[in-house]
Amino acid sequence: MDQQDLVQKIKQLKEKKHALIVAHYYVEDEIQEIADYVGDSYYLSKICKQREENLIIFCGVAFMGESAKILSPQKRIIMPNKYSDCPMAHMIDIKKIEEVKAQYEDLAVVCYINSSAQIKAHADVIVTSSNAYHIVSKLKQKNIFFIPDQHLGRHLAKQLPEKHFIFNDGFCHVHTNITKQELEEQRKRHPLAEVLVHPECPADITEQADYIGSTAGMINYATNSSKLEFIICTEVGVLHELRKKNPNKQFFSVGEQFICPNMKRITLKNVYEALVYADEMKQEDGVDCSDVIKDMQVEESIARKAECALIKMHELGE
Ligand code: 13P
Ligand code: SF4
């Protein structure tokens, strides 16, 4: 089947099953194109809860689908590729959280949404890069244990000197590899460009930013800016929406090698197979959908605790 046939079949099956397809800005461009909604992690967690469809094909990494399932347990959330996972989501263990909790009385465990459901179940509140400052500034606790990402944690600590932060050593293997030299090189080539940076980047990159924010935040910033050139310090997938929304502006990636292999695992064929699977069709057109698809499930006791922390994010984030 060529790409055009695949797209056609996805559209037909999507309609037949009354399914919703959502995608993160880091998945392949052709998947962003067939999705009903494309967004950052906060927006996707909101839209999956708000929409009425009971079948959601979630084109993103595991923690995103897990969050959607926790917030809408009655919906069927299908991950087109079960190997699409974010390593940062596992860069903290429960023992460490318990140890820090035992050390401080006046403590909030603030957990980045890039975390497994088990970790979220031990947090007081979840945040994303688009709402972390807003939420942490509203917390009454003085001590903040920020998990799992050290860079977002350190970025927040600079903005909230009245809080005492305890950091974890988690990181994103894509953003952490963006170097000062690469950014300087791009700045020399494009001296008029503004620098937009994701807060998962290390401090020597965020220090040089004109804007620091989530993927959606960067898109909004560039769209509303009067500037015409931008250097983008995040995963390359975000360039698709930036260029689509701003055909008169120029976007330069800090490096084309900054690709999230986890997000890019998802293929158009996987999306089609996920719909075939949901339709309980048998090996239609030779499709074998048994190996890579995951019908998202989260253990009940974990899900209900993690839900409290996610709901708190939605309440404080508004
Ligand atoms: P956003 O919430 O900004 O989309 O970030 C998600 C992510 O995984 C960044 O690496
Ligand atoms: Fe995880 Fe980094 Fe990929 Fe985002 S870019 S999903 S943090 S590995």
Side-chain angles (χ1 to χ4, degrees):
M1 230 189 300
D2 67 18
Q3 186 160 319
Q4 239 179 344
D5 290 339
L6 216 42
V7 169
Q8 208 44 42
K9 291 216 169 212
I10 288 171
K11 282 186 180 158
Q12 282 163 3
L13 261 180
K14 190 175 89 77
E15 211 154 295
K16 178 179 172 197
K17 296 300 296 173
H18 194 52
L20 187 74
I21 302 180
V22 299
H24 187 266
Y25 289 121
Y26 294 164
V27 299
E28 296 285 5
D29 299 355
E30 64 265 25
I31 296 176
Q32 295 189 40
E33 282 300 305
I34 50 109
D36 297 294
Y37 293 96
V38 188
D40 67 2
S41 44
Y42 181 55
Y43 178 74
L44 293 177
S45 81
K46 237 176 23 181
I47 207 75
C48 290
K49 192 169 165 60
Q50 281 169 0
R51 291 288 310 195
E52 50 154 46
E53 287 86 349
N54 280 316
L55 172 62
I56 299 176
I57 309 295
F58 204 120
C59 305
V61 285
F63 75 80
M64 297 179 172
E66 255 180 6
S67 299
K69 182 71 184 173
I70 292 166
L71 287 166
S72 304
Q74 77 289 3
K75 294 184 185 173
R76 195 171 181 199
I77 312 286
I78 298 187
M79 307 306 285
N81 191 319
K82 68 179 176 191
Y83 301 106
S84 189
D85 195 6
C86 169
M88 190 211 281
H90 311 282
M91 288 186 186
I92 172 94
D93 58 41
I94 292 158
K95 192 167 157 271
K96 182 156 181 202
I97 301 175
E98 294 305 337
E99 279 168 13
V100 176
K101 275 186 180 174
Q103 277 173 41
Y104 295 89
E105 266 181 20
D106 182 27
L107 179 84
V109 178
V110 178
C111 182
Y112 190 27
I113 199 164
N114 295 39
S115 51
S116 68
Q118 282 97 325
I119 297 302
K120 286 188 178 78
H122 286 76
D124 293 301
V125 63
I126 307 303
V127 298
T128 74
S129 48
S130 67
N131 58 28
Y133 170 77
H134 192 60
I135 290 175
V136 178
S137 67
K138 284 185 185 171
L139 296 177
K140 60 179 187 328
Q141 293 90 339
K142 165 115 180 124
N143 300 301
I144 306 294
F145 183 29
F146 194 87
I147 55 172
D149 186 28
Q150 57 178 297
H151 298 300
L152 177 57
R154 289 182 197 283
H155 169 61
L156 277 177
K158 275 191 208 157
Q159 296 172 284
L160 292 161
E162 68 277 20
K163 301 278 186 196
H164 171 249
F165 276 73
I166 304 112
F167 303 110
N168 175 59
D169 53 12
F171 60 91
C172 161
H173 64 99
V174 182
H175 290 86
T176 230
N177 283 322
I178 298 178
T179 66
K180 207 173 155 187
Q181 289 86 324
E182 280 157 324
L183 179 52
E184 274 162 11
E185 190 63 31
Q186 289 297 337
R187 292 180 73 142
K188 269 188 218 144
R189 269 189 225 154
H190 312 288
L192 298 178
E194 285 200 297
V195 178
L196 315 191
V197 176
H198 196 280
E200 285 176 17
C201 290
D204 58 354
I205 305 297
T206 49
E207 271 158 15
Q208 299 190 55
D210 293 295
Y211 173 81
I212 305 168
S214 75
T215 50
M218 288 185 200
I219 294 165
N220 289 340
Y221 181 90
T223 306
N224 295 324
S225 169
S226 56
K227 295 277 164 58
L228 295 173
E229 292 180 18
F230 303 86
I231 297 167
I232 306 301
C233 299
T234 190
E235 209 272 355
V236 295
V238 81
L239 294 165
H240 182 64
E241 186 72 12
L242 279 166
R243 288 176 178 147
K244 216 169 121 179
K245 274 216 160 105
N246 301 283
N248 58 329
K249 298 182 182 177
Q250 280 191 294
F251 298 95
F252 310 100
S253 172
V254 68
E256 296 292 333
Q257 73 277 27
F258 297 115
I259 292 174
C260 175
N262 317 299
M263 291 278 193
K264 297 300 198 253
R265 248 185 250 283
I266 307 161
T267 64
L268 214 45
K269 187 164 169 281
N270 292 156
V271 178
Y272 171 58
E273 289 169 353
L275 284 159
V276 169
Y277 174 84
D279 200 34
E280 290 167 3
M281 286 155 65
K282 296 258 171 358
Q283 307 241 333
E284 201 225 43
D285 293 332
V287 176
D288 178 10
C289 37
S290 51
D291 307 352
V292 281
I293 283 139
K294 181 171 176 175
D295 223 324
M296 183 54 82
Q297 301 295 340
V298 184
E299 207 238 288
E300 191 55 22
S301 62
I302 291 173
R304 298 297 59 89
K305 283 190 201 154
E307 188 185 15
C308 293
L310 277 163
I311 287 177
K312 196 159 177 196
M313 168 180 82
H314 281 282
E315 284 169 359
L316 293 176
E318 294 309 318

